[in-house]
Short mmCIF file of all heavy atoms in Angstrom, two decimals:
data_model
loop_
_atom_site.label_atom_id
_atom_site.label_comp_id
_atom_site.label_asym_id
_atom_site.label_seq_id
_atom_site.Cartn_x
_atom_site.Cartn_y
_atom_site.Cartn_z
N GLY A 226 -27.19 13.43 -20.58
CA GLY A 226 -28.22 13.86 -19.63
C GLY A 226 -27.75 13.92 -18.31
O GLY A 226 -26.79 14.60 -17.90
N ASP A 227 -28.38 13.17 -17.40
CA ASP A 227 -28.03 13.33 -15.93
C ASP A 227 -27.09 12.15 -15.53
O ASP A 227 -26.77 12.01 -14.41
CB ASP A 227 -29.26 13.05 -14.96
CG ASP A 227 -30.13 14.25 -15.08
OD1 ASP A 227 -29.74 15.37 -15.37
OD2 ASP A 227 -31.42 14.13 -15.00
N ASP A 228 -26.50 11.43 -16.62
CA ASP A 228 -25.51 10.35 -16.37
C ASP A 228 -24.21 10.62 -17.09
O ASP A 228 -24.18 11.57 -17.97
CB ASP A 228 -26.15 9.04 -16.89
CG ASP A 228 -27.52 8.69 -16.10
OD1 ASP A 228 -27.74 9.07 -14.96
OD2 ASP A 228 -28.46 7.98 -16.90
N TYR A 229 -23.32 9.71 -16.77
CA TYR A 229 -22.07 9.43 -17.53
C TYR A 229 -22.08 8.13 -18.08
O TYR A 229 -22.45 7.21 -17.30
CB TYR A 229 -20.88 9.81 -16.78
CG TYR A 229 -20.50 11.15 -16.62
CD1 TYR A 229 -21.08 12.03 -15.44
CD2 TYR A 229 -19.74 11.94 -17.44
CE1 TYR A 229 -20.88 13.39 -15.25
CE2 TYR A 229 -19.50 13.33 -17.25
CZ TYR A 229 -20.00 13.96 -16.27
OH TYR A 229 -19.74 15.27 -16.05
N VAL A 230 -21.60 7.83 -19.21
CA VAL A 230 -21.44 6.48 -19.80
C VAL A 230 -20.04 6.15 -19.91
O VAL A 230 -19.20 6.90 -20.83
CB VAL A 230 -22.24 6.42 -21.20
CG1 VAL A 230 -22.04 5.01 -21.77
CG2 VAL A 230 -23.71 6.81 -21.05
N ILE A 231 -19.53 5.16 -19.32
CA ILE A 231 -18.05 4.86 -19.21
C ILE A 231 -17.72 3.75 -20.06
O ILE A 231 -18.47 2.67 -20.01
CB ILE A 231 -17.67 4.62 -17.69
CG1 ILE A 231 -18.14 5.86 -16.81
CG2 ILE A 231 -16.31 4.21 -17.55
CD1 ILE A 231 -17.78 5.57 -15.38
N ASN A 232 -16.67 3.85 -20.84
CA ASN A 232 -16.26 2.75 -21.64
C ASN A 232 -14.59 2.71 -21.47
O ASN A 232 -14.10 3.75 -21.54
CB ASN A 232 -16.61 3.03 -23.16
CG ASN A 232 -17.98 2.75 -23.42
OD1 ASN A 232 -18.38 1.45 -23.63
ND2 ASN A 232 -18.87 3.71 -23.50
N GLY A 233 -14.08 1.51 -21.46
CA GLY A 233 -12.72 1.28 -21.28
C GLY A 233 -12.32 0.01 -20.47
O GLY A 233 -13.36 -0.74 -20.13
N SER A 234 -11.06 -0.06 -20.10
CA SER A 234 -10.74 -1.17 -19.17
C SER A 234 -9.58 -0.74 -18.29
O SER A 234 -8.83 0.22 -18.50
CB SER A 234 -10.37 -2.39 -20.13
OG SER A 234 -9.09 -1.99 -20.87
N LYS A 235 -9.54 -1.46 -17.17
CA LYS A 235 -8.45 -1.16 -16.13
C LYS A 235 -7.82 -2.56 -15.86
O LYS A 235 -8.47 -3.58 -15.95
CB LYS A 235 -8.99 -0.64 -14.88
CG LYS A 235 -9.69 0.77 -15.09
CD LYS A 235 -8.72 1.86 -15.44
CE LYS A 235 -9.37 3.19 -15.67
NZ LYS A 235 -8.53 4.39 -15.96
N ILE A 236 -6.54 -2.52 -15.61
CA ILE A 236 -5.77 -3.73 -15.37
C ILE A 236 -4.78 -3.70 -14.16
O ILE A 236 -4.58 -2.60 -13.82
CB ILE A 236 -4.97 -4.19 -16.65
CG1 ILE A 236 -4.63 -5.75 -16.61
CG2 ILE A 236 -3.74 -3.34 -16.83
CD1 ILE A 236 -4.17 -6.20 -17.95
N TYR A 237 -4.56 -4.85 -13.53
CA TYR A 237 -3.75 -4.97 -12.40
C TYR A 237 -4.34 -4.33 -11.17
O TYR A 237 -3.67 -3.61 -10.39
CB TYR A 237 -2.35 -4.39 -12.62
CG TYR A 237 -1.61 -4.96 -13.86
CD1 TYR A 237 -0.92 -4.06 -14.60
CD2 TYR A 237 -1.72 -6.26 -14.28
CE1 TYR A 237 -0.33 -4.49 -15.83
CE2 TYR A 237 -1.03 -6.67 -15.28
CZ TYR A 237 -0.40 -5.81 -16.14
OH TYR A 237 0.25 -6.30 -17.31
N ILE A 238 -5.70 -4.43 -11.08
CA ILE A 238 -6.45 -3.67 -10.10
C ILE A 238 -6.59 -4.51 -8.82
O ILE A 238 -7.28 -5.61 -8.86
CB ILE A 238 -7.83 -3.27 -10.52
CG1 ILE A 238 -7.74 -2.42 -11.91
CG2 ILE A 238 -8.62 -2.52 -9.49
CD1 ILE A 238 -6.72 -1.22 -11.71
N THR A 239 -5.85 -4.25 -7.80
CA THR A 239 -5.89 -4.95 -6.49
C THR A 239 -7.32 -4.72 -5.89
O THR A 239 -7.94 -3.64 -5.96
CB THR A 239 -4.94 -4.29 -5.61
OG1 THR A 239 -3.65 -4.44 -6.00
CG2 THR A 239 -4.98 -5.13 -4.15
N ASN A 240 -7.92 -5.88 -5.56
CA ASN A 240 -9.32 -6.06 -5.10
C ASN A 240 -10.39 -6.04 -6.20
O ASN A 240 -11.49 -6.18 -5.93
CB ASN A 240 -9.66 -5.06 -3.98
CG ASN A 240 -8.91 -5.22 -2.72
OD1 ASN A 240 -8.26 -6.31 -2.52
ND2 ASN A 240 -8.90 -4.19 -1.88
N GLY A 241 -9.99 -5.88 -7.40
CA GLY A 241 -10.83 -5.79 -8.58
C GLY A 241 -11.84 -6.77 -8.63
O GLY A 241 -13.06 -6.61 -8.72
N PRO A 242 -11.42 -8.09 -8.55
CA PRO A 242 -12.44 -9.16 -8.75
C PRO A 242 -13.43 -9.24 -7.60
O PRO A 242 -14.49 -9.88 -7.77
CB PRO A 242 -11.62 -10.43 -8.71
CG PRO A 242 -10.22 -9.93 -9.16
CD PRO A 242 -10.15 -8.64 -8.50
N ILE A 243 -13.16 -8.63 -6.43
CA ILE A 243 -14.08 -8.77 -5.32
C ILE A 243 -14.67 -7.43 -4.80
O ILE A 243 -15.45 -7.28 -3.87
CB ILE A 243 -13.44 -9.38 -4.08
CG1 ILE A 243 -12.31 -8.64 -3.62
CG2 ILE A 243 -13.05 -10.94 -4.42
CD1 ILE A 243 -11.77 -9.08 -2.16
N ALA A 244 -14.23 -6.35 -5.53
CA ALA A 244 -14.73 -4.93 -5.06
C ALA A 244 -16.27 -4.78 -5.28
O ALA A 244 -16.90 -5.27 -6.28
CB ALA A 244 -14.02 -3.94 -5.72
N ASP A 245 -16.87 -4.07 -4.35
CA ASP A 245 -18.15 -3.45 -4.38
C ASP A 245 -18.16 -2.12 -4.89
O ASP A 245 -19.25 -1.68 -5.59
CB ASP A 245 -18.79 -3.55 -3.12
CG ASP A 245 -18.98 -4.91 -2.53
OD1 ASP A 245 -19.59 -5.74 -3.03
OD2 ASP A 245 -18.25 -5.22 -1.43
N VAL A 246 -17.23 -1.32 -4.58
CA VAL A 246 -17.14 0.13 -5.01
C VAL A 246 -15.77 0.34 -5.53
O VAL A 246 -14.65 -0.17 -5.03
CB VAL A 246 -17.42 1.16 -3.88
CG1 VAL A 246 -18.99 1.00 -3.65
CG2 VAL A 246 -16.63 0.88 -2.71
N ILE A 247 -15.51 1.12 -6.56
CA ILE A 247 -14.18 1.34 -7.18
C ILE A 247 -14.17 2.91 -7.45
O ILE A 247 -14.99 3.58 -8.03
CB ILE A 247 -13.87 0.67 -8.57
CG1 ILE A 247 -14.12 -0.88 -8.42
CG2 ILE A 247 -12.68 1.04 -9.20
CD1 ILE A 247 -14.27 -1.66 -9.66
N LEU A 248 -12.93 3.45 -6.84
CA LEU A 248 -12.75 4.89 -7.28
C LEU A 248 -12.06 4.89 -8.68
O LEU A 248 -10.82 4.43 -8.71
CB LEU A 248 -11.82 5.54 -6.16
CG LEU A 248 -11.49 6.90 -6.50
CD1 LEU A 248 -12.74 7.85 -6.39
CD2 LEU A 248 -10.53 7.53 -5.27
N LEU A 249 -12.73 5.26 -9.62
CA LEU A 249 -12.33 5.12 -11.08
C LEU A 249 -11.91 6.44 -11.72
O LEU A 249 -12.55 7.46 -11.37
CB LEU A 249 -13.51 4.54 -11.87
CG LEU A 249 -13.08 4.23 -13.33
CD1 LEU A 249 -12.44 2.88 -13.53
CD2 LEU A 249 -14.40 4.19 -14.16
N TYR A 250 -10.94 6.44 -12.51
CA TYR A 250 -10.45 7.53 -13.30
C TYR A 250 -10.79 7.33 -14.81
O TYR A 250 -10.51 6.36 -15.32
CB TYR A 250 -9.00 7.82 -13.04
CG TYR A 250 -8.71 8.17 -11.65
CD1 TYR A 250 -8.36 7.17 -10.76
CD2 TYR A 250 -8.88 9.53 -11.15
CE1 TYR A 250 -8.14 7.48 -9.38
CE2 TYR A 250 -8.61 9.86 -9.78
CZ TYR A 250 -8.30 8.91 -8.93
OH TYR A 250 -8.09 9.10 -7.66
N ALA A 251 -11.33 8.43 -15.43
CA ALA A 251 -11.72 8.25 -16.83
C ALA A 251 -11.61 9.61 -17.37
O ALA A 251 -11.72 10.70 -16.79
CB ALA A 251 -13.16 7.69 -17.04
N LYS A 252 -11.42 9.73 -18.77
CA LYS A 252 -11.23 11.02 -19.45
C LYS A 252 -12.69 11.46 -19.76
O LYS A 252 -13.38 10.91 -20.50
CB LYS A 252 -10.46 10.81 -20.71
CG LYS A 252 -8.96 10.83 -20.39
CD LYS A 252 -8.08 11.00 -21.59
CE LYS A 252 -6.63 11.11 -21.17
NZ LYS A 252 -5.70 11.08 -22.34
N THR A 253 -13.00 12.67 -19.37
CA THR A 253 -14.27 13.38 -19.64
C THR A 253 -14.12 14.36 -20.68
O THR A 253 -15.03 14.84 -21.30
CB THR A 253 -14.86 14.00 -18.36
OG1 THR A 253 -13.78 14.58 -17.67
CG2 THR A 253 -15.53 12.94 -17.56
N ASP A 254 -12.77 14.76 -20.99
CA ASP A 254 -12.52 15.72 -22.09
C ASP A 254 -11.22 15.25 -22.65
O ASP A 254 -10.17 15.69 -22.31
CB ASP A 254 -12.58 17.13 -21.66
CG ASP A 254 -12.32 18.12 -22.72
OD1 ASP A 254 -11.97 17.71 -23.93
OD2 ASP A 254 -12.74 19.32 -22.46
N LYS A 255 -11.27 14.42 -23.80
CA LYS A 255 -10.05 14.01 -24.43
C LYS A 255 -9.11 15.13 -24.97
O LYS A 255 -7.95 14.89 -25.01
CB LYS A 255 -10.34 12.91 -25.45
CG LYS A 255 -10.95 11.68 -24.88
CD LYS A 255 -11.02 10.56 -25.95
CE LYS A 255 -12.08 10.78 -26.90
NZ LYS A 255 -12.23 9.65 -27.93
N SER A 256 -9.66 16.20 -25.30
CA SER A 256 -8.84 17.26 -25.93
C SER A 256 -7.99 17.99 -24.89
O SER A 256 -6.98 18.59 -25.24
CB SER A 256 -9.85 18.41 -26.54
OG SER A 256 -10.53 19.05 -25.48
N LYS A 257 -8.27 17.80 -23.67
CA LYS A 257 -7.40 18.35 -22.58
C LYS A 257 -6.34 17.42 -21.94
O LYS A 257 -5.64 17.70 -21.17
CB LYS A 257 -8.39 18.89 -21.45
CG LYS A 257 -9.23 19.89 -21.77
CD LYS A 257 -10.07 20.43 -20.56
CE LYS A 257 -10.88 21.51 -21.01
NZ LYS A 257 -11.77 22.06 -19.81
#
Side-chain angles (χ1 to χ4, degrees):
D227 293 332
D228 299 331
Y229 281 87
V230 180
I231 299 174
N232 283 281
S234 64
K235 301 291 180 179
I236 200 164
Y237 311 135
I238 306 304
T239 301
N240 295 343
I243 62 171
D245 299 293
V246 292
I247 300 170
L248 183 59
L249 181 83
Y250 296 94
K252 282 191 174 174
T253 40
D254 188 341
K255 291 191 286 186
S256 68
K257 294 182 177 179

